[in-house]
Amino acid sequence: MKPKTAFFILIGSVMLSLSLFIGGYFAVSKYNKKRILDEKYRILSIVQTGPEKDALKTTYLAELLGLSLDRPISLYAFDCKAGESKLLASPLIKNAKIKRLAPSAIYIDYEIRKPIATVGDYKNTAIDAEGFLFPFTPFFSPK
């Protein structure tokens, strides 16, 4: 094969590969943008699990995550890692994991702190076995 022919074959294959890559990139971008704007992928419900059944109210979890029916967020625009960080910022939540449930829900698996005593010097403050302080009411009933 002549060097000139080999050069044209090389340039042609590079150009073909580049055009396929760019076309694929724009197709995936368009698909993701369409999916984010599609109303069927709006977050409409929260499924929660953990060691205790409904340990926290769903409205409390939605408030922590910044979710609202008035201003719906697309399931695919919702950042699960940022949501986990927001949940862990709450003093009540010990561990949390969030997953997407298509087409319109998020799944939250979390564990809340267990109060072992109330702190007498402070109003509405409990302490867990690890020494972490958190609010007692309205999340726990006095026993």
Side-chain angles (χ1 to χ4, degrees), residues 10-24:
L10 178 66
I11 294 296
S13 63
V14 167
M15 296 299 278
L16 179 65
S17 299
L18 185 62
S19 63
L20 287 174
F21 172 76
I22 291 172

Side-chain angles (χ1 to χ4, degrees), residues 50-138:
E52 295 180 38
K53 184 177 181 187
D54 294 332
L56 297 173
K57 294 189 182 288
T58 304
T59 54
Y60 179 73
L61 295 172
E63 186 176 327
L64 287 176
L65 295 172
L67 299 175
S68 170
L69 289 176
D70 296 339
R71 295 184 331 173
I73 297 174
S74 172
L75 184 66
Y76 296 103
F78 180 76
D79 185 359
C80 291
K81 293 294 179 193
E84 288 174 7
S85 297
K86 289 177 183 178
L87 289 177
L88 292 173
S90 169
L92 292 167
I93 298 175
K94 190 174 185 179
N95 298 316
K97 295 286 181 208
I98 299 178
K99 295 180 185 175
R100 293 181 181 106
L101 292 177
S104 62
I106 57 171
Y107 171 79
I108 303 173
D109 183 27
Y110 67 97
E111 180 182 357
I112 63 167
R113 299 185 181 280
K114 307 270 191 250
I116 59 170
T118 57
V119 180
D121 294 346
Y122 298 99
K123 186 176 182 180
N124 191 31
T125 304
I127 191 167
D128 69 352
E130 298 170 356
F132 197 90
L133 300 172
F134 54 94
F136 187 74
T137 39

